[in-house]
Amino acid sequence: MTATSGETAKGRVLYSERLYVPWWGWPLPLIGGGLLAAEIHMGYPGLRGWLPYLVMLPLVAGLLLALGRVRVRVAETGQEGTRELWAGEAHLPTRFVGEVEVIGKERKRKTLGPELDPAAYVLHRGWVGPLLRVTVTDPDDPTPYWLISTRKPAALAELLRTR
């Protein structure tokens, strides 16, 4: 996770965070992949016994890297300095950002469960504790709000509030 400010092809980046899988999320899937490879190896001993390990372990590592590839960022676009919030591939101009609320770990389950609107945009990663609820004020957008996982919700909320 890095909060950075820099230049990209899409404009000047004011905030950027990658929601990578932390180190403690890697051992269990890798052990599971190794056990699955061992099961296959026990059924096919001999020269090709190494093949399941060669396939399963990089496959699990690739899956974990793909899960942590998503980014949350705020970038200035265009000459007027208009800002956009990007969550994965979805983006929202900050002029349509209404109320911004930080949701801590203790309220996360209720927010993602019984309180969740089915029309909401959700970018959730279970290994990231807090959420940010961003109300959408665009009258043409059927999405009432966005729920975004972020490790630095206060910094992102402050940036969105100071359009």
Side-chain angles (χ1 to χ4, degrees):
M1 166 200 62
T2 57
T4 61
S5 178
E7 297 284 334
T8 67
K10 294 181 180 173
R12 191 171 74 113
V13 176
L14 303 172
Y15 177 89
S16 180
E17 174 182 13
R18 190 170 148 239
L19 302 178
Y20 60 88
V21 180
W23 69 268
W24 49 262
W26 283 72
L28 195 58
L30 287 173
I31 290 170
L35 287 173
L36 184 59
E39 282 285 326
I40 296 169
H41 178 182
M42 287 184 349
Y44 295 99
L47 182 61
R48 62 180 176 240
W50 54 269
L51 191 59
Y53 299 99
L54 186 69
V55 172
M56 288 304 297
L57 295 178
L59 187 66
V60 171
L63 177 66
L64 290 170
L65 287 172
L67 284 173
R69 218 176 135 206
V70 69
R71 284 194 175 276
V72 175
R73 69 180 185 273
V74 176
E76 284 186 351
T77 58
Q79 276 105 1
E80 306 91 41
T82 58
R83 293 181 182 179
E84 284 190 346
L85 168 64
W86 288 80
E89 294 299 315
H91 60 96
L92 176 70
T94 57
R95 68 177 179 272
F96 296 124
V97 170
E99 182 183 345
V100 179
E101 178 187 3
V102 175
I103 298 169
K105 290 182 199 179
E106 54 284 339
R107 284 193 43 224
K108 186 176 179 178
R109 178 176 291 200
K110 202 173 213 177
T111 302
L112 289 169
E115 295 177 0
L116 182 66
D117 187 328
Y121 173 73
V122 179
L123 178 70
H124 175 250
R125 295 296 183 255
W127 51 86
V128 178
L131 289 171
L132 198 65
R133 184 191 330 240
V134 179
T135 305
V136 178
T137 60
D138 185 1
D140 297 328
D141 193 342
T143 307
Y145 58 87
W146 284 19
L147 282 175
I148 306 167
S149 291
T150 176
R151 289 187 175 93
K152 294 189 175 187
L156 183 56
E158 185 62 31
L159 187 60
L160 293 173
R161 288 182 187 127
T162 60
R163 290 174 234 160

